[in-house]
Amino acid sequence: MNKVPEFLDMDALRSFVAGIDAGSFALAAQHLCRSASAVSAQLKKLEQQCGTALVMKKGRHVQLTRSGEQLMSYARRLLSLNDETLRAVKGEALQGEIRIGMQEDFGEALMPAILGAFNRQHPDVMLTARVDRNLPLLTALARHELDLALLWQAEQQAGTQLIGQCPLAWIQHPAFDLAGYLQRGEPLPLVAFDAPCVMRSRAIEALDKAGIPWRVVFTSHSLSGIWAALQAGLGITLRTRAGLPETLVIESHRLPMPGYLGIALARSDQGDDPARALLQHLITQAALPFVQR
């Protein structure tokens, strides 16, 4: 007799995903209208089925183990497919309104493809979009002016889903004379956003630790201004490869390694809206190519 294959419980998977998104399984229990003990029992059941620990405590929050990260990727897809299947069988169409924000680095690279495809497949969902910097997006989320926002995350924050770590890079025009500045000991000209900016702070910190003098020669409110200044050869900047123009290059040998920066998807609330859940899944999958594997 063939052995009956094991299957993962959809309710347990939903509690698992909700707990990580909320940063706490106690908060997830409230959002799911279940007791904390019931959600805890579902997590233990998943860990028994997978034969490994899926989460670990980090301060007041929970963090995925390596096995948990792997399961999370499958869990989101399974839940999305489960919900999509039920809607299709029942003849239900997604409806509602979603207000989404994206950090400027992702606006040009991700927003057209994601929102265009979603709008064609689900025309009854009203989409509004905003491209901005991190602080305005976080402020809009706190004021419930946005439902979702894809942004940079310097440290773990409650209510956000960390998609992964993106490597930072020094970016310049090919004709920029970096070697000359270093050889002469002249202050390195930096192109950056106005403060506060996490990448500006990372650049200054890295150069200070390496003992390399610097000066900010150009500041901008927009990413397009940063790219224009680099293409004019005014200096060098610290960003990621997201949205990198083909005319600019990565400097990877003569300056200190700047580390990584998290890509996160933040939500204004933890409501279980099917349209929002599907768009959240699409955004997460689209952002994965930018993440360090």
Side-chain angles (χ1 to χ4, degrees), residues 9 32 96 116 146 158 176 236 287 290:
D9 183 85
L32 296 170
L146 290 176
F176 177 70
I236 191 167
F290 298 104

Side-chain angles (χ1 to χ4, degrees), residues 1-262:
M1 181 180 296
N2 293 332
K3 182 180 178 181
V4 177
E6 291 188 78
F7 62 91
L8 296 172
D9 183 85
M10 286 294 169
D11 284 338
L13 286 176
R14 202 173 298 277
S15 295
F16 171 64
V17 172
I20 297 302
D21 286 347
S24 163
F25 284 95
L27 287 176
Q30 296 177 17
H31 297 316
L32 296 170
C33 299
R34 293 177 179 170
S35 67
S37 58
V39 171
S40 178
Q42 288 180 322
L43 176 61
K44 289 181 180 178
K45 179 180 179 180
L46 278 180
E47 290 184 325
Q48 290 174 353
Q49 288 183 318
C50 296
T52 184
L54 300 174
V55 299
M56 56 185 176
K57 291 286 291 183
K58 188 174 182 180
R60 292 178 296 175
H61 301 290
V62 291
Q63 181 176 314
L64 291 171
T65 63
R66 185 177 296 273
S67 297
E69 289 178 344
Q70 188 175 24
L71 176 62
M72 179 62 72
S73 175
Y74 285 105
R76 293 190 188 280
R77 282 183 281 170
L78 285 169
L79 290 171
S80 177
L81 183 59
N82 175 81
D83 296 344
E84 182 180 344
T85 300
L86 288 176
R87 288 193 299 270
V89 172
K90 293 179 179 180
E92 297 177 357
L94 290 179
Q95 295 180 335
E97 179 184 3
I98 306 177
R99 302 160 301 173
I100 179 174
M102 282 192 181
Q103 213 280 343
E104 284 189 281
D105 299 74
F106 304 111
E108 183 177 345
L110 297 183
M111 186 170 285
I114 296 173
L115 299 190
F118 186 91
N119 189 52
R120 288 190 295 272
Q121 295 174 14
H122 308 286
D124 292 331
V125 178
M126 182 184 301
L127 292 175
T128 56
R130 171 179 175 179
V131 175
D132 214 326
R133 292 174 59 185
N134 261 39
L135 185 57
L137 292 178
L138 289 170
T139 301
L141 282 166
R143 294 175 177 172
H144 296 279
E145 296 170 356
L146 290 176
D147 301 305
L148 299 172
L150 184 66
L151 39 76
W152 297 116
Q153 178 175 296
E155 57 187 25
Q156 183 64 37
Q157 298 171 333
T160 63
Q161 171 203 336
L162 181 62
I163 297 174
Q165 298 291 333
C166 187
L168 291 169
W170 298 101
I171 299 173
Q172 63 179 64
H173 189 273
F176 177 70
D177 187 21
L178 174 61
Y181 279 98
L182 295 177
Q183 290 171 4
R184 294 188 298 269
E186 297 179 9
L188 191 64
L190 290 181
V191 174
F193 273 130
D194 295 325
C197 170
V198 63
M199 295 189 191
R200 175 180 174 143
S201 298
R202 288 283 188 89
I204 293 172
E205 180 183 2
L207 294 175
D208 283 345
K209 286 184 177 180
I212 299 174
W214 55 270
R215 65 188 182 98
V216 176
V217 298
F218 182 91
T219 59
S220 174
H221 295 290
S222 68
L223 184 57
S224 60
I226 297 293
W227 296 143
L230 294 179
Q231 289 166 344
L234 298 186
I236 191 167
T237 195
L238 182 68
R239 299 209 67 79
T240 72
R241 297 173 185 268
L244 178 65
E246 295 181 357
T247 53
L248 302 177
V249 297
I250 301 293
E251 160 56 44
S252 58
H253 303 296
R254 288 168 288 193
L255 292 178
M257 294 293 292
Y260 298 83
L261 191 60

